[in-house]
Amino acid sequence: MRQHGSCLLPADDAGRILDRLAGLEKVIPPALIRQALDASCKVNERSCSLTHDVMLWVVLAMGLLTNMPIRQVFKHARRMRVDEKSPARSSLCEARKRLGVEPVQALFDRVVRPLATPESPGAFYHGMRLTAFDGTTLNAPDSPANCAAF
């Protein structure tokens, strides 16, 4: 039986866990994280292990490893480096609060874009891009205009 939060894939030659985070690293290289931090004026004012670079990566990892507590996410995000002690949960939460939302927004603005083109099968219908909202509820008032539109 698999342990809760453990990776299905083995470590590579460098001892890194090959998982969903490896794919994320291909889309978001460290240079983009640095650019997002620079754009949001997030400069590390103290010398600690929970730098803004580290915490931004932890925040990204939290989006992928939603079933894990933040300390486990930290371990995975740091690739379970040998002899690296996990910080306390409260330290991680404070570091996340210090990071704020601005770098996440700046990174989003640099990375997220539509991938499909009009030639992509199933991506467009009558010239309009198809989208989906998964797990989202949108409320709209009952009105004649909304009844006509929806």
Side-chain angles (χ1 to χ4, degrees):
M1 184 169 168
R2 188 166 81 87
Q3 261 187 331
H4 178 72
S6 65
C7 182
L8 294 174
L9 300 172
D12 64 5
D13 294 335
R16 293 171 32 139
I17 304 297
L18 301 174
D19 55 10
R20 293 174 277 180
L21 294 175
L24 188 60
E25 277 181 326
K26 290 181 180 182
V27 177
I28 305 174
L32 275 178
I33 288 182
R34 184 79 255 147
Q35 288 172 10
L37 290 169
D38 290 343
S40 58
C41 300
K42 288 293 181 173
V43 178
N44 290 313
E45 297 156 354
R46 51 177 95 184
S47 62
C48 67
S49 60
L50 298 178
T51 63
H52 293 312
D53 298 72
V54 169
M55 288 312 300
L56 184 50
W57 189 250
V58 169
V59 168
L60 294 173
M62 288 173 66
L64 293 175
L65 307 172
T66 58
N67 62 330
M68 293 182 189
I70 193 167
R71 290 186 80 206
Q72 284 298 110
V73 172
F74 175 83
K75 287 179 182 180
H76 280 280
R78 299 292 289 162
R79 302 292 192 208
M80 297 184 184
R81 291 188 168 107
V82 180
D83 297 331
E84 185 175 52
K85 186 179 174 195
S86 290
R89 181 184 172 277
S90 60
S91 297
L92 287 164
C93 292
E94 284 299 317
R96 194 171 103 197
K97 195 185 313 182
R98 275 194 314 271
L99 177 69
V101 299
E102 296 86 4
V104 179
Q105 181 66 50
L107 185 62
F108 178 89
D109 293 341
R110 283 172 169 66
V111 174
V112 176
R113 67 193 184 299
L115 297 176
T117 65
E119 292 76 35
S120 300
F124 286 79
Y125 179 73
H126 290 288
M128 295 186 295
R129 182 180 304 275
L130 294 175
T131 59
F133 294 97
D134 186 18
T136 301
T137 303
L138 303 174
N139 292 323
D142 289 330
S143 69
N146 283 340
C147 284
F150 304 110

